[in-house]
Amino acid sequence: AKAIGKNNYHYYTKSMRDAALKRMTLIADLRHAIDNDEFYIVYQPIINLHDQSITKAEALIRWRHPTRGLVGPDDFIPVAEETGLIIDISDWVFERVCRDVCLWRKTLCPTLQISINTSPTHYTDPERCITLWLEKMLINRTPPQAVLLEITESLLMDANKSISTKLFQFRQAGVDIALDDFGTGYSSISYLKRYPTDFLKIDKSFVHSMTEVSNDKVLCEAIIVMAKKLGIKVVAEGIETQEQYHILQSMGCDYGQGYLFAKPLEHQAFNALLEQQKAT
Ligand code: C2E
Ligand code: CA
Ligand code: CA
Ligand code: CA
């Protein structure tokens, strides 16, 4: 800011002050969002590209803010991570997903598996560790196959022995693990060695550029071939066009997720989709 003229400096600090204030308000609001029942979950179907069945979905959080309207996760999850609020939020998501998936498995889809996005903070917090979820699953009788934990590759940057130990505990208990946003981190392939992985999710940036940048198509195919040899299932994210779908299918990609098939759906709409699938 020093190099900027006096006037600009003034505006610069004002905008910084505004940003800080906005952030503080957001944090204050976030603290009450659970108690005020402002969060809800949407479920985005994940399609089996071999037989078009839907037995998986990703749980994505939404925040209905009383004055600001709908706030997307990209606008509050990072702040929640920094402040530690993510732990309460994740616990809330987990409980809600367990309740929904158990019901749906009983009534509409016995093999349904819902994936939950997890935060590295939750693996490293000494008091509120994510492994408590294993106990909760036993208590509320959620079968381990009913949930899958997604962990974002780039968030593993400070690659951590304790995270991998805990992921192994989940895996041992029968819970599947997915490496999210695969290909966007600095050392994607070394993560495959260090972390137990059942699924990897090809980041949507690759899927989107696949039809324009031939190198990205090659990368996608290479990831799929490598995963197959390692016994890892592949989910392609962000499929929006028939062309992307057919290319991925021809490459042998196992699962697909994206607006072409379905947007993230509210509880009732996902329920209706499962009903429709059961009826046919
Ligand atoms: P993500 O885990 O990579 O989730 C996929 C994002 O891609 C979602 O955005 C989804 O709505 C969006 N998406 C799905 N299909 C398409 C498509 O065809 N095209 C495009 N352009 N986008 C598509 P969303 O719901 O806004 O979530 C953003 C991120 O916020 C997630 O990225 C995840 O990192 C985080 N997030 C969401 N819910 C949770 C949660 O419950 N806990 C945690 N820790 N993070 C969450
Ligand atoms: Ca995810
Ligand atoms: Ca992702
Ligand atoms: Ca992401």
Side-chain angles (χ1 to χ4, degrees):
K2 249 190 274 170
I4 307 171
K6 218 176 183 179
N7 262 341
N8 286 334
Y9 182 78
H10 173 77
Y11 287 113
Y12 182 51
T13 53
K14 182 178 182 306
S15 79
M16 278 177 66
R17 232 183 10 247
D18 286 351
L21 190 67
K22 208 175 152 198
R23 184 186 149 89
M24 275 162 57
T25 318
L26 184 80
I27 293 169
D29 292 348
L30 255 189
R31 283 188 203 286
H32 298 110
I34 292 181
D35 289 339
N36 294 347
D37 212 17
E38 291 166 9
F39 289 130
Y40 64 99
I41 293 173
V42 287
Y43 292 99
Q44 187 174 34
I46 297 172
I47 282 73
N48 181 326
L49 298 182
H50 305 300
D51 65 10
Q52 275 65 49
S53 66
I54 297 168
T55 55
K56 296 183 194 301
E58 177 173 8
L60 296 160
I61 195 168
R62 295 290 178 266
W63 183 11
R64 205 183 278 113
H65 188 281
T67 55
R68 285 210 250 170
L70 199 61
V71 184
D74 285 331
D75 293 321
F76 69 88
I77 292 290
V79 178
E81 301 253 3
E82 288 160 31
T83 53
L85 289 169
I86 189 67
I87 293 178
D88 282 335
I89 296 174
S90 305
D91 283 347
W92 180 87
V93 171
F94 171 75
E95 304 235 331
R96 195 49 68 96
V97 167
C98 286
R99 204 185 67 188
D100 287 349
V101 73
C102 285
L103 184 71
W104 281 326
R105 281 170 73 100
K106 262 185 219 129
T107 55
L108 295 171
C109 181
T111 56
L112 187 67
Q113 182 185 49
I114 305 282
S115 54
I116 304 174
N117 290 286
T118 64
S119 149
T121 325
H122 212 154
Y123 293 88
T124 48
D125 188 297
E127 260 135 53
R128 307 270 313 276
C129 189
I130 192 163
T131 45
L132 287 174
W133 286 9
L134 288 171
E135 262 169 55
K136 285 192 193 163
M137 287 173 65
L138 270 179
I139 293 165
N140 64 26
R141 296 207 175 81
T142 304
Q145 305 85 337
V147 293
L148 174 155
L149 304 187
E150 294 194 6
I151 182 143
T152 298
E153 190 205 279
S154 55
L155 295 177
L156 289 172
M157 279 233 288
D158 40 327
N160 187 307
K161 184 90 177 56
S162 88
I163 299 186
S164 81
T165 307
K166 275 151 200 159
L167 286 172
F168 272 109
Q169 285 172 7
F170 275 97
R171 200 150 185 241
Q172 198 126 44
V175 178
D176 281 346
I177 308 292
L179 213 45
D180 202 359
D181 299 352
F182 190 81
T184 57
Y186 291 96
S187 44
S188 307
I189 291 182
S190 78
Y191 291 134
L192 291 180
K193 270 176 58 168
R194 255 176 297 165
Y195 296 97
T197 313
D198 302 287
F199 291 84
L200 63 81
K201 300 189 79 170
I202 301 182
D203 191 64
K204 53 180 177 283
S205 59
F206 285 105
V207 173
H208 292 172
S209 55
M210 204 173 55
T211 45
E212 278 103 51
V213 188
S214 66
N215 273 351
D216 281 14
K217 193 169 156 186
V218 175
L219 281 175
C220 271
E221 187 155 28
I223 292 173
I224 293 167
V225 169
M226 177 185 69
K228 269 204 189 328
K229 293 204 168 166
L230 293 170
I232 297 170
K233 297 276 183 207
V234 181
V235 183
E237 287 191 319
I239 302 179
E240 292 178 355
T241 67
Q242 289 287 345
E243 194 186 0
Q244 291 161 352
Y245 168 36
H246 289 129
I247 293 173
L248 286 159
Q249 202 178 30
S250 71
M251 289 172 175
C253 183
D254 303 293
Y255 296 92
Q257 187 180 349
Y259 298 160
L260 175 70
F261 309 112
K263 295 220 159 158
L265 303 171
E266 290 195 23
H267 185 102
Q268 276 311 315
F270 186 66
N271 191 85
L273 183 84
L274 291 178
E275 272 174 353
Q276 188 196 337
Q277 176 173 253
K278 193 187 177 193
T280 54

